[in-house]
Every structure is written in C-alpha cells, then in structure tokens.
Amino acid sequence: MPHGGAVDDGIVRQRLFTLAAACAVAAITTAAAPGAGGSLPNWAAPQIATVVAHHLMGAKSARKFRPNAALTQQALADLTADLQQQLASPPPSGSGSGSTGTTGTGTTTTGGTTTTPSVSDPGAHMTMAQLDRSLVYALGLKKAAREFARGARAAGIAVPSRFGTEVVARLLGLRINHPAAQDYLELRPQDPATRAEAAYSAAQILGFGYLEDSWQIAQVQSLADAFALPELGDWQQRILQVAFSKIGMPYIWGGTNDGTEVDFGVTGRGGYDCSGFVWRVYKLQSYPSEGSLADAIQGRTTYTMSVEVPRSKRIAFKKLQPADVIFFGTNGSDSRGSQVFHTAIYVGNGWFIQSSDHGVALAQLTGWSKKKFAWGRRPLHEAGLE
C-alpha cells in the first residue's frame, strides 16, 4: 500500500529546484555500478550490523562486509540455508538437542559435520529477481508465489516468471525505496544484486521471528490462498498484462521506462514513479486498435491526472472496475484535487498495482489505503473501448 513516507511524483515542481544537486548525483551514477568499489554509500549499515551479529554472509565485522560487492550464488545459498536454520522453531526444552548451529562462515553444522550448500557456479552474480525468489522459497512461500501467478493467469493475463515471488517479496517488505537523491542505487529485477540488498532483506526476515510462528508469513500465505481476479474484458486484460509485466521494477522519481532514460535532466537506470507507471501503461504503451486511448490521460503528474475528469465522471469506491486509474488524497473521498498525492491501477477484488515504497507491487485496497481513496477514473470508457 502507499505509505506516508513514500516519495510521490506529485511534487515534481518542487523537485525541479533541486535539479543541480540531482545532476551531480547522476554523474556519480555513471562511475559506479553494482559490484564496484567503495564509491557508493553504505546505505544498509544498520541491517548489515544485524546480519553480522547473527553470523550471516560470512563477514567477521561490518567494516569488512563489502556492501557494494555483487551477491554471488554461493553467498546467497549460504544465506538462505543459515536463515532457515536460525529461524527454525527451537527444539523442546530439555530434549538434549543442540548439536546443530551456525559456523558464522555461511555454513551449517550438524553433529559436528560442516555442510556447505552445493551450487553450480559459486561465483556467479545473482540478480535481484533471483535474490527475491531464493528468499521467498526459503521462507516456505513458494506455494504462495505460485498462487499469485496462477490467479493472474486464470484471468487471462500472461505474467513474467518472477511475478509471484516479486509480489510476495514486496508484501513482506523485503525491498526498500531509496531516497530520490539516491535513485542511482535502485536496481531492476534483472540487475545484479548487491550484498547490501541481501543484508537488508535478511534483516527484515530476522524480524519475522521463528518461521512457524511468523504472522507476516502466515498473512501472506492467507492472501495468496484467496487471491483471484474477476472475469476481465479483453481491454482490461491488455491493460493489466502490461501493468503486471512491470512487477518488481523500482520506484524512480520521474521514471516512465524499463530502461535508461533522462527525466528533468537526470539520468536513471529505469523504473517508475506512481504517475509514471500509469503514464507508461496508458500513454506510452502502444496497443493495436487503441483509438484515442493514448489521449485519454493528458497530464503527467498525479494531480493533473486526477482533475482531468469532471466530478460527475469520477468513479466511487464501490463502482471500481479492473483497469480503472485510482487516486488517493489526504482527506479520502472528501479530498480536493490539490490534496491528491498518489495514483495506481485497480485490478479487481480489492487489489491494485502501484509504484510506491516497494517498487511496482500489488497491494490491497483496504485499511489505510481504502481510507485515503479519493476517486477513480476509467480511461477505457473515456476512449470508448469498453
């Protein structure tokens, strides 16, 4: 769901005043890449300290952690194995067990025998999608990931192979949105993961407690078990297929593209802000026989998108349909246009897809997000495609 701490693209005009500083950051971007040396900031220092304290990822100290180095296949295999062991329910008191533990070097010990997970290419660099998939599976949520993907496919939407695991990872909060001035740290699903990203995820997981007792894991599994989309029309399928194809892309201020682009003079590696995501799906994407669909939405920012339709044509919460564009305001349904701060796309049955704190992700239109729901608009109807 959108959070109060999310950077919203409705403040584009204000951010233009910081363009000079952002351009300086962009210059750093061209010189630094995942796996490079120490020129990138150690943004995950608190999480790294937690990981080191739990003897994970083979580092003897936070100073020697190498946060910006690429995450290798062996390091990821060791991490998932050690997390599973540390978070397994403890043996009953007085059972005499206690011969199993961690070595602090990415290996596990059982009865005095050291076991290192076997991998095909220990030094291979793991992508962000592979990191998320490995962690989701280690948490016992492989079934949940498959249920999310199955629910989308049952509605006629062809989703990428990473869809289910990316949905789960983001519902669990395993990804973080870096400050706008550090958008150069954002990684796409296909980009090599850094050790810092793995440490952030691991620290989040350690906060779940024992896997069998974790309410976070149980909640996501419950959501997956019930996930289903309503019957979709042809155009609704087309719109949601494009939207779902962006799952896992990072939140990038001003972003409207999967690849490198220049927004307001700042070079980004690819990603979306909230209105940029809607802009990509409805404005920039080309659809066969789309007619005037690309002209339905004229304004680039959340505010202008929200006020382009008169009040009489705004969609109320109870009348939302899949592929509607939805808006959130500080006063909910009583919000004025100037109070709208976020936009997303409704997918049906109480779910929507957005680009926010956790990148492009599915979220439920319940609780806080339902309270802040302002209104919707229906571009498909505006273009005469319903």
Side-chain angles (χ1 to χ4, degrees):
M1 66 181 66
H3 297 286
V7 179
D8 185 75
D9 63 353
I11 59 173
V12 165
R13 291 185 298 274
Q14 297 175 10
R15 293 267 177 107
L16 288 175
F17 290 106
T18 65
L19 183 58
C23 287
V25 169
I28 297 175
T29 308
T30 61
S39 59
L40 294 174
N42 184 10
W43 59 268
Q47 292 78 24
I48 290 170
T50 298
V51 165
V52 170
H54 282 78
H55 308 292
L56 298 172
M57 300 187 69
K60 300 295 185 181
S61 68
R63 186 175 59 85
K64 297 181 178 180
F65 188 81
R66 298 180 298 118
N68 300 317
L71 179 70
T72 65
Q73 186 179 112
Q74 187 65 66
L76 179 55
D78 292 341
L79 174 61
T80 55
D82 285 350
L83 279 171
Q84 285 180 314
Q85 183 170 16
Q86 290 196 25
L87 298 180
S89 295
S93 178
S95 66
S97 177
S99 60
T100 301
T102 59
T103 67
T105 58
T107 61
T108 60
T109 60
T110 304
T113 301
T114 300
T115 303
T116 299
S118 177
V119 297
S120 59
D121 189 356
H125 293 179
M126 295 289 96
T127 65
M128 290 297 293
Q130 289 170 323
L131 169 61
D132 286 342
R133 183 181 65 213
S134 295
L135 294 174
V136 167
Y137 285 8
L139 293 174
L141 289 171
K142 183 177 182 178
K143 174 176 177 284
R146 289 181 172 178
E147 286 175 329
F148 279 116
R150 189 181 304 122
R153 294 187 182 110
I157 302 173
V159 294
S161 60
R162 69 179 187 273
F163 181 81
T165 50
E166 292 301 305
V167 169
V168 171
R170 281 156 174 73
L171 286 173
L172 290 171
L174 300 189
R175 297 272 62 82
I176 184 175
N177 174 44
H178 297 284
Q182 294 182 350
D183 271 350
Y184 58 90
L185 293 172
E186 300 287 358
L187 299 175
R188 300 167 298 176
Q190 69 270 29
D191 290 330
T194 62
R195 287 172 57 84
E197 291 284 356
Y200 179 86
S201 300
Q204 294 294 96
I205 290 170
L206 288 168
F208 296 164
Y210 293 122
L211 300 183
E212 291 185 4
D213 300 327
S214 169
W215 66 264
Q216 295 95 334
I217 293 175
Q219 182 181 60
V220 170
Q221 184 61 65
S222 178
L223 291 173
D225 291 342
F227 181 72
L229 297 179
E231 184 176 352
L232 303 175
D234 177 63
W235 272 104
Q236 290 173 327
Q237 287 180 345
R238 295 192 203 183
I239 295 299
L240 295 186
Q241 181 157 317
V242 172
F244 283 14
S245 73
K246 310 304 179 186
I247 198 78
M249 290 294 291
Y251 182 98
I252 296 288
W253 173 70
T256 62
N257 204 307
D258 285 4
T260 301
E261 61 179 339
V262 179
D263 296 296
F264 307 108
V266 179
T267 301
R269 73 170 71 247
Y272 302 88
D273 61 20
C274 68
S275 61
F277 174 63
V278 174
W279 188 260
R280 161 55 55 187
V281 173
Y282 272 107
K283 188 78 172 182
L284 301 183
Q285 185 70 30
S286 178
Y287 300 93
S289 305
E290 67 178 12
S292 62
L293 181 61
D295 297 324
I297 294 177
Q298 294 291 319
R300 168 63 181 81
T301 67
T302 297
Y303 165 75
T304 52
M305 288 181 183
S306 71
V307 298
E308 285 175 350
V309 290
R311 291 181 179 272
S312 61
K313 293 186 178 180
R314 293 176 182 176
I315 310 298
F317 179 84
K318 292 183 178 180
K319 295 186 178 181
L320 286 175
Q321 295 180 10
D324 286 351
V325 176
I326 56 179
F327 303 98
F328 301 85
T330 54
N331 288 336
S333 59
D334 294 326
S335 298
R336 301 185 302 274
S338 60
Q339 295 174 311
V340 170
F341 60 82
H342 185 60
T343 185
I345 298 175
Y346 189 65
V347 305
N349 287 352
W351 289 87
F352 63 101
I353 187 168
Q354 62 178 343
S355 184
S356 190
D357 285 23
H358 300 143
V360 178
L362 285 184
Q364 285 194 296
L365 194 52
T366 57
W368 186 88
S369 58
K370 182 178 180 181
K371 181 180 179 181
K372 296 299 181 180
F373 172 81
W375 62 81
R377 63 181 291 187
R378 191 162 295 155
L380 290 178
H381 177 76
E382 296 167 31
L385 295 174
E386 282 191 320

